[in-house]
Amino acid sequence: MTTTQKSPNWLRVIQIGLGILILFLSIVVLINPIIGAISVIFFLAFLLLFAGIEKVISGLFIPGKSRFASIGLGIIVIIVSIIALAYPIDASIFVVLLLGIALLVDGISRIVHGIKDKTSVKWSKGFSVGVGVLSIVFAIIVIVFPGIGLIFAGILIGIALLVTGFQILSAGISGQQNRRTNDMT
């Protein structure tokens, strides 16, 4: 059974504040979608930097056969993450190019599968080939114009932030808090 009760006022204030902040950030990202894509790369680079530092520290203080590999790989992760932090636009373009190449390979594989598949019905094979061609077209566009891929990623991030912001804001305004209870009657 689900019961509804009011959230505490302090929680509602935090939800409203965070909801407004997220809505503001989503509008900024939707106005300039590249900011959203680059901020994700920036955030991931920070996470990798901390992961690399942890690997180096683990390698220094935890004995074992793999300690030098841990230190060496940790240093490589630190260097790559620092490069990504220093050049976030270039790192974003590099990631978009990698995703474009992955999309290209996926498109080719869908076409090959659609042509070679002997068990599927004709329309399914045609659909597979069509999706493969569409994937290749999008991949070529992203590879030739990586800025378009960045803009598209930024728009998706902006829309996700917008929806999240509205959800948090509405939860704070309504004050409704759903709780699951076990009814033993």
Side-chain angles (χ1 to χ4, degrees), residues 104-170:
L104 179 68
V105 171
D106 180 64
I108 292 168
S109 102
R110 289 184 187 282
I111 291 172
V112 169
H113 177 73
I115 292 171
K116 298 278 186 182
D117 188 12
K118 304 291 184 207
T119 59
S120 294
V121 294
K122 198 172 192 175
W123 68 267
S124 178
K125 294 185 341 183
F127 190 69
S128 179
V129 170
V131 169
V133 169
L134 194 60
S135 293
I136 290 172
V137 168
F138 286 145
I140 291 170
I141 291 170
V142 167
I143 291 169
V144 174
F145 304 107
I148 291 174
L150 275 178
I151 290 169
F152 183 68
I155 289 170
L156 292 177
I157 291 166
I159 291 170
L161 284 173
L162 189 68
V163 170
T164 301
F166 276 123
Q167 187 275 321
I168 292 171
L169 187 61
S170 68

Side-chain angles (χ1 to χ4, degrees), residues 41-42 44-50 52-53 74-88 91:
I41 295 298
F42 205 70
L44 293 175
F46 262 117
L47 291 176
L48 285 173
L49 176 66
F50 295 132
I53 291 169
I75 290 170
I76 291 171
V77 169
I78 290 170
I79 291 169
V80 171
S81 64
I82 289 172
I83 291 170
L85 287 169
Y87 304 100

